[in-house]
Amino acid sequence: MDASYLDLLMAQQEEVTEEATGGGGIWVVADVVDGAVAPVTLEALGAARTLADSLGAYVYSVLLGDSVADGSTPLTTGLAQTLYQAGADGVRVANHPALARFALEPYLEVLAALFEEEQPEVVIFGATAQGQELAPRLAQRMDGGLIEHVVATSLDEATRTVVVTFPVYSGEYFEIAACPEARPQFLTIEPGTFSAPFLDPYRKGEPATLDFEPVEPAVHVVGAADDFEPPPVPLAQATVIVAAGRQAGDFELVQQLAAALGGQVAGDRGARDAGWIGPEQIVDVRGVTVAPQVYVAVGIRGDTFHNAAVEEAKFIAAIHPDPDAPIFQVADLCLEADPAEVLPALLKALT
Amino acid sequence: MRIVVILGQVLDPSGIVIKRRAGRIFVNREEYVLQPADRCALEAALRIKNAALAGLRPSQGVEVVALPRGPLPDDDVLRQALATGADRAVYLTGEGFDGADDAAMARVLAVAVERLGGADLVITGATTFDTGQGQLGPRLAETLGWPQIVGAWQVEAADGRVRVVRQEGSGYVVVNADLPVVITVLPGALKPRYPDGARLINVYRAEDAVEKWDVSDLVSDLVDEAALQPLLEKRGQDFPPERERGVRLSGTPEEMAQALADTLRQRLGRRPATARER
Amino acid sequence: MDFTFAPEHIALRRLVREFAENEMAPLAMEIDREGRVPFETLRKMAKIGLLGVCFPQKYGGMGAGETGYCILMEELGRVCTSTATNVGAHIGIGAMSIYLDGTEEQKQKYLMPLARGEKLGAFVLTEADAGSDAAAIRTRAVRDGNEWVLNGTKTFNTNGSFADVVTVMAVTDPTLGARGGMTAFIVEAGTPGFKVGTHENKMGIRGSSTAELIFEDVRVPHENVLGKVGEGFISFMKTLDMGRLTLGAACLGGAQAALETSVHWAKTRKQFGVALAHKQSVQWMIADMATEVEALRSLVYRVAWLVDTGQPFTQLAAMCKMYGSEVASRAIDVALQIHGGLGYSRDFPIERNFRDARISEIFEGTNEIQRIVIASNIFRQHGVRIRP
């Protein structure tokens, strides 16, 4: 058999036909970012598929947006295919200029009408700007339960209840909770915690277009907030820190790494001596004590006075050429390598 | 103008120790602090009040009323609100109220707002410090039937309109809306003021400084008698694995860099920007 | 016997602790290095009423009583002794002297702005030849019509170099000495002839101002006599008594800080494979330090209660100052030992606290004077008037 025949065979087997709508189902509300389906939506579809398979239910997804400028092919149709490829059994699409970017009232009315009719068992959003606004309002409107920032799910099959895990105190521990009776069960999932499903290119489908009357948003965007600067976060409260030590090599790369991670630059006393940082950026018990979520020590040997000042960091990664460097006793992840060789590759892998 | 601020408290995490291996939380010092985001919400309300009093909007008197975010063991955070400058504070208590979750609270608070005689603005924190949930503000907005602005950095309100700076994508935008609106404020958005000392002493000395309402009076207004029943059921805790320090990566520097990048991305919730790159 | 603090005092402590950690801690090292008074901090305190913490609200104060004042001093002393000194001199002896002995007019005119922190105060007694021997002061006040003319030089004065209002002790009748020969005067800064002399270059509390004050034909209206003519010394003793208690509270804060830092370092620092906390010598140091802190705490707040309930407190206030200053010095000395070489570094707060603590055994009445006061009180209760 040649490849084209195999393709044809696969294509025929993967045509998804919409099952008769009996209501229920596991629904995912899609987020669109930069003209494509957001990764968190794919992750949500993966989670939805797992739940649906155990419950014997179908996975549906709903996509709101607008057509491309020339009006020929609605962008949403192309995106809908991604949803099928990610495992949706059915896709609903609402296509209108009023839905071009997220605004609460227009999106809410479409989804409320849809869910009122479909009566989903579970609705999953990404824990995004869109999800944090829509999920609670829909939940309140429909007397549904809602748990936000979910990082894991399991199923109580007897009661068809989704049991979820969400972080407390930014992940110090986790709470397990569920809404045993309220339906629909709404969840928002934390981006990057569920694995995205394999995108099956042979899986296709015909999205159904939703009819609706567009409503006006109540909140108007006036424009960019040109003269607004968020208050500066002191180093002691920064959540992400990249710190340089004497062996850091090119300090420019350290700064780029901090920018790539959205963090602040700091260093040890060696970095101060090298003139790379100011005295208010020294991580040391004799300087600043820090407690970030992530601390990357680049070329820092890590003496006791430095290490004591980062002991509250939730995660420490250290890069240093000397395998006996004391920093490796406190770091969670140790890279025994020359920062000059690691940083360029690291920056490349992060973009 | 009446601004309702909704405040809650959270256990001070510096007083607890989590033993991962034992799967237990030890509370060494049980002290509660005002939710940081709610404190910023109160600050936002007081700044609006100060702006009005400064004569910028001479026709408006502003009343700031503090309500609780949930069932509270005592009225301390409401007293803190009074000490800091709120005009009134109401503590809610009652039978069957202890377990009320955000869904129930939204209904109770909507009736409480009505009982106050209505409000022009409701401000609360965008997220709770412990559970990271941001539902209450939007749920309340839905029950009130008001618009919402979520995740505010700055709030100004006058002449029946509100002007808010919030994040959009990687930048910041100015949005506005007609009152009434529910606004949620980010923690750390504003530097909260200190309470005035004399006011603090007086508020804490006066036993009846905080008003007390019985929730059953409010619930009878609600259509659904089971309105206080929580939808959410707690089923226990899970603990992250014991921290394993000193894990060495192997391979070439490039391979190590890739592994570190994956870990960092996972930790920071970052993924490639779009699905197309997969 | 109820040892709990009232709700308003618990709330006050929370307010002051937050203020101290957010506003004072970041500046503590800087003001010590630069030798400057943190006026910006004093302004922020004034804004929330802290500079009048113990005075009644009708005089512009906070109305938190002496207990509230001790809480303020403890929390300030825990973070920055220099700032505690500035505040203590302003509230505890400067404004306090007017509160204890002023007429209603004087309270309205001077106490109110001091309590509100709109003006800053100081208490001026010590001279080069009159430290412990306070009765040996020579600054002279001579009546001229409706005014008094002051001449003299005062030394080691806290706050006097920037205060708006000072209360000054001068000799009005050289033949009578302490009993009947001294009078207290309220003097406003800017009065012609009232000058600031040399600033003292101190070992510690370098974020506070200690200076010489010069009075050259300074004319003060008779209505600014504080208390009665000739009874200045007696009224000053009352003021100093109150000041002793609150200095003890500030020392409590310093000792508490030493304890907290020591416990933290003992659990962090590893030597010989274990944290210092597992070494018995360190355990005993911590145990002794903690016990002294607790004893001091009980003493300070019991005396605050005595003051707030109008009971006699002179002897116990002297104990607070004497014991408090020695507990603080011992605590910071042991803390320095526990921190080892790190404690000796100027980039770490211990050395500053070590230098700051020492003055408490000397100013506000040396500990030797305090011991005399305590012993005098004890023996007087047994019918003996000792001559020290």
Side-chain angles (χ1 to χ4, degrees), chain A residues 33-37 39 42-43 101 104-105 108 132-133 136-137 139-141 143-149 156 163 166-169 171-180 182 191-192 218-225 228 230-231 240 260-261 294 296 313-317 323 328-337 341-342 345-346 349-350, chain B residues 10-13 16 18 20 25 102-103 106-107 129-135 138-139 141-143 145-150 153-154 165-166 168 172-178 188-189 231-240 243-249 253-254 256-258 260-261 263-276 278:
Chain A
V33 171
D34 292 335
V37 174
L42 302 176
E43 292 156 14
R101 47 196 293 210
L104 179 74
E105 285 76 15
L108 185 61
Q132 75 183 356
E133 290 211 42
R137 289 201 77 138
Q140 192 72 2
R141 193 175 287 204
D143 285 328
L146 167 63
I147 304 169
E148 297 174 305
H149 297 284
D156 183 349
V163 180
F166 63 92
V168 181
Y169 295 116
E172 282 292 314
Y173 66 96
F174 301 88
E175 284 274 347
I176 303 169
C179 297
V219 178
H220 306 99
V221 179
V222 172
F228 174 73
V240 179
L261 299 177
V294 169
V296 183
K314 298 269 168 66
F315 173 78
I316 302 170
F328 291 141
Q329 285 161 28
V330 294
D332 296 277
L333 209 54
C334 307
L335 283 76
E336 281 167 31
E341 291 174 30
V342 171
L346 181 58
L350 283 170
Chain B
V10 62
L11 193 56
D12 186 353
I16 55 181
I18 291 155
R20 293 183 182 186
I25 302 164
D102 287 331
R107 283 189 282 267
F129 181 65
D130 48 351
T131 56
Q133 305 287 301
Q135 315 181 19
R139 277 187 182 270
E142 178 63 28
T143 309
W146 293 2
Q148 68 190 28
I149 302 176
V150 165
W153 278 94
Q154 268 181 7
V165 172
R166 61 188 298 263
E168 201 171 275
Y172 300 94
V173 293
V174 178
V175 301
N176 61 27
D178 288 331
L231 306 179
L232 189 82
E233 187 181 275
K234 293 205 177 138
R235 294 201 175 180
Q237 282 129 7
D238 196 8
F239 293 84
R243 199 162 166 179
E244 206 190 332
R245 295 187 200 247
V247 172
R248 314 251 163 172
L249 287 181
E254 289 75 24
M256 286 199 255
Q258 183 63 55
L260 178 56
T263 308
L264 287 173
R265 257 206 294 269
Q266 195 193 38
R267 290 239 159 212
L268 298 170
R270 271 150 221 274
R271 289 297 208 194
T274 68
R276 272 196 290 246
R278 291 186 162 272

Side-chain angles (χ1 to χ4, degrees), chain B residues 32-33 39 76 80 191-192 194-202 204-205, chain C residues 7-8 11-12 14-15 18-19 22-23 47-49 57 61-64:
Chain B
Y32 292 92
V33 293
R39 196 164 172 203
D76 189 63
Q80 285 182 48
K191 182 169 187 228
Y194 298 102
D196 174 70
R199 203 180 160 107
L200 181 101
I201 297 294
N202 295 342
Y204 276 86
R205 275 189 186 148
Chain C
E8 63 267 24
L12 176 63
R14 190 171 47 200
L15 164 60
E18 196 192 331
F19 183 89
N22 290 351
E23 313 295 333
K47 212 167 141 212
I48 53 180
Q57 288 179 14
M62 199 193 290

Side-chain angles (χ1 to χ4, degrees), chain A residues 297-347:
Chain A
V298 182
I300 293 182
R301 200 172 159 71
D303 66 10
T304 193
F305 302 121
H306 163 270
N307 296 351
V310 298
E311 63 177 3
E312 300 282 316
K314 298 269 168 66
F315 173 78
I316 302 170
I319 310 167
H320 197 278
D322 180 1
D324 292 326
I327 189 80
F328 291 141
Q329 285 161 28
V330 294
D332 296 277
L333 209 54
C334 307
L335 283 76
E336 281 167 31
D338 186 350
E341 291 174 30
V342 171
L343 283 186
L346 181 58
L347 284 165

Side-chain angles (χ1 to χ4, degrees), chain A residues 110-332:
Chain A
V110 173
L111 292 175
L114 173 66
F115 291 148
E116 203 48 55
E117 193 180 313
E118 296 286 348
Q119 293 294 315
E121 283 198 77
V122 180
V123 183
I124 307 178
F125 291 80
T128 59
Q130 174 180 298
Q132 75 183 356
E133 290 211 42
L134 285 171
R137 289 201 77 138
L138 283 164
Q140 192 72 2
R141 193 175 287 204
M142 302 181 72
D143 285 328
L146 167 63
I147 304 169
E148 297 174 305
H149 297 284
V150 168
V151 297
T153 58
S154 66
L155 195 58
D156 183 349
E157 286 186 43
T159 56
R160 298 178 78 85
T161 302
V162 182
V163 180
V164 306
T165 304
F166 63 92
V168 181
Y169 295 116
S170 309
E172 282 292 314
Y173 66 96
F174 301 88
E175 284 274 347
I176 303 169
C179 297
E181 278 158 31
R183 297 288 180 269
Q185 302 169 75
F186 289 86
L187 322 176
T188 74
I189 63 166
E190 195 62 26
T193 48
F194 288 83
S195 41
F198 166 67
L199 288 181
D200 184 348
Y202 294 106
R203 211 162 179 283
K204 299 176 174 38
E206 268 302 315
T209 309
L210 296 171
D211 275 324
F212 66 97
E213 286 298 319
V215 299
E216 280 296 305
V219 178
H220 306 99
V221 179
V222 172
D226 289 319
D227 53 359
F228 174 73
E229 275 290 323
V233 177
L235 186 63
Q237 278 140 46
T239 49
V240 179
I241 298 175
V242 178
R246 244 180 262 272
Q247 304 278 11
D250 187 352
F251 185 64
E252 178 59 38
L253 293 180
V254 171
Q255 289 172 311
Q256 285 178 22
L257 179 58
L261 299 177
Q264 291 196 26
V265 175
D268 67 357
R269 283 184 152 195
R272 169 84 185 116
D273 292 340
W276 291 333
I277 57 166
E280 69 288 352
Q281 291 168 285
I282 302 177
V283 176
D284 191 291
V285 289
R286 294 158 297 194
V288 182
T289 299
V290 300
Q293 296 285 322
V294 169
Y295 186 84
V296 183
V298 182
I300 293 182
R301 200 172 159 71
D303 66 10
T304 193
F305 302 121
H306 163 270
N307 296 351
V310 298
E311 63 177 3
E312 300 282 316
K314 298 269 168 66
F315 173 78
I316 302 170
I319 310 167
H320 197 278
D322 180 1
D324 292 326
I327 189 80
F328 291 141
Q329 285 161 28
V330 294
D332 296 277

